[in-house]
Amino acid sequence: MANSKDGIISRSSLREIVTHYLSSSLRIMLLMIVVTGIAYPIILVLIGEYTLPYQSTGSILTLNGKIIGSKLIAQEFKSAKFFHSRPPSDSASTVDPHITPENAFDQVSNVSKATGIPHNVLETLINLNIERNKITNGLFFAPQYVNVLEVNLDLVKQYPEHYQEFLSNLQRR
Amino acid sequence: MDTIIQLAVLMTGTLGLAIPFGLYIARMISFEMRPLEKTLSKVESEFYRLVGIDATKQMTWKQYFFALFLTNMVVAVFIILILTFQNYLPSHENFKGLSLDLAFNTAISFVTDTNLQHYAGDQQLSNLSQMIAITFTQFVAPASGIVGAFALIRSFIRKNFGLGNFYVDFIRVILTLLLPVAVVSSLVLMAIGVPQTLNTTITAHTLEGNKQDIRVGPVASLLAIKQLGSNGGGFYVANSAHPFENPTGLSNMYEMFLMFVIPLSFLIAFGKLIGKWRGVSILIAILISFGSLLILAFSANSGPSLLETRFGNFGSTLFNAISITTNTGAVNSSLSGMSSNAIMSFLIAMFVQAIPGAVGTGMMTMIMYVVITLFVVGLMVGKTPEFLSMKISPRDVKLAVFVFLSHPAIILIPTVIAFATGSTQAIMGSTGGTGHHITPMGFTQTLYEYTSAAANNGSDYFGTSANTPFWNISTAIVIFLGRFVPIGLMLAIAGSFTVKDRREVIEPIKTQGPVFITVLVVVTFLLTAVTFFPFIVIGPFSL
């Protein structure tokens, strides 16, 4: 290092510097992989398991003990007895679980015709869902919307007689 | 009404948080006492010992840059290995290894805080890869940008204050800034509904009796640092539009907070160390510019197609605007769902890169504009340009101008090459152009791809469709140059400023106050407009 004062660094000391830096960079990488790539996510998984078991596993909804989906992920509905989700190609995520209130109210007469459940009952269910979502969003932080799966699940739970074919299908699983 | 409340909460919340964060960052820069200093420094010295560094050793700008660059490259090699060979690792869950060009693109993209994604995370990466290749790198990249800004700011504090030691700064930034905020934020996001599990799939039987496989994983821990560190690369291919990566309006607001807070805090830190009104003046200049971009983005309605119902026009446009002005690059809608005015606003943000820009590098870019502004004004009034009572040498100006000019060069040259080689047409088909005819849509999307790469932003139109050797390699080169050329040159400027004599006299050109704010905003926008105007006209303006 004596001659580095003149701006000339000998080849061996250059190699020394490079290996010193390389070893520091490698070690810092290994340490940070352990801290931020392994310990950090796993500790949060463990905290989640004990304190937020519902959210951390994916907001799973069940019916009669069977997993029927996640509250946050849209599923396809084709039957006229159910409210329908947005077409996947129309949303950014392709799994948008929500529709606008207008869209939901537009579907009321179809669902009512197919099931025989009166209009005002369906509208009340939709309004309750809108209110619930409003609270979830701290009143101001999102436009009004309807969660399709939650409303359909409410229908199945409250009017099992109209949804026998789906319930018996679920039992067989 | 709701929209005004959202905007008010966002601005007061982030500016309110930026003050304590900024004062804390100032203490990190100048090595003053932080809260819990004893505990923190004990942990840090243990890390210094394990890494084998002498924490008291100051680095020259060349050593600082070399250490930063080398560490980043070592990490890039590690990511390439993990992603290429993920199928040989434990718990690979049948995910295949990525192709070498895709792994190369991803490694360069993530280590530079860009997070342009030509892969679909939820379909192509195992949970282990998401943790040790993606989440880990999302700490490395912002930490590298932040420490670069630390070194640059230190060069202004006083003569021979020293630029610091890269390894020391890097460890301190990760352990005592990014990690604690990421842990708290993960918990907040988990409470709102973001999954955090080591499982990969929920198998459900839907109400209509179909089988549905739902991908889950350690999402919250990735999401928190993705937003906080200007990273932007999502666990899911749909990014923050995916309900698991952004379940409600509350998570949308919280994610905006995370993106905004550190970039704004840097102005407070700058003010604390260099002069209160200097920091506040630059902050005001940024807020004026940000406000103008928001007005442009909101001047036309976006969606409702390709937007998520729970965010709508307002929540989607605001989120994307913040994400792109901070060069995070996360999106909560498809870019194709955004109005052309919004896209124009996003492109301008990425051309400027400092409204407020990414963590650390946004601050560095802003200082580059300040230097150029002082030079231009100095020419106009016939005075030697000075910054903080230090003469700005011709070499400093040349370096700053080179930083500015490198940006259009690495955007426009590859854009032309992409058309000349038919690469845009190859992935977009006739919507991009046929033969010598190029559509405005094709031009906009190609320009956007390279602008995003050069600005280390990471948002894009193409997504997995650009997973071809041409796009993987060309964007990786642009990303690499867009990151390390400016950081290297700005550190060279730091090296020059740190040894300068300072005379405590009245500044010939004031670097604070309304006149300076106006001049800074005007010069920045003029330079950007002169450089990029033709390309905006034939791109989004013609959509």
Side-chain angles (χ1 to χ4, degrees), chain B residues 3 11 38 81 133 168 272 287 349 383 389 421 444 454 487 504:
Chain B
T3 54
M11 294 316 294
K38 262 192 186 161
L81 291 175
V168 171
K272 175 77 185 163
L287 291 178
K383 279 179 181 159
S389 321
T421 54
T444 304
I487 289 185
E504 281 306 319

Side-chain angles (χ1 to χ4, degrees), chain B residues 516-533:
Chain B
F516 175 72
I517 294 172
T518 315
V519 175
L520 180 63
V521 172
V522 169
V523 169
T524 305
F525 269 93
L526 274 183
L527 284 174
T528 310
V530 167
T531 317
F532 290 102
F533 185 68

Side-chain angles (χ1 to χ4, degrees), chain B residues 451-462:
Chain B
T451 306
S452 173
N456 299 140
N457 183 291
S459 55
D460 72 335
Y461 281 95
F462 294 156

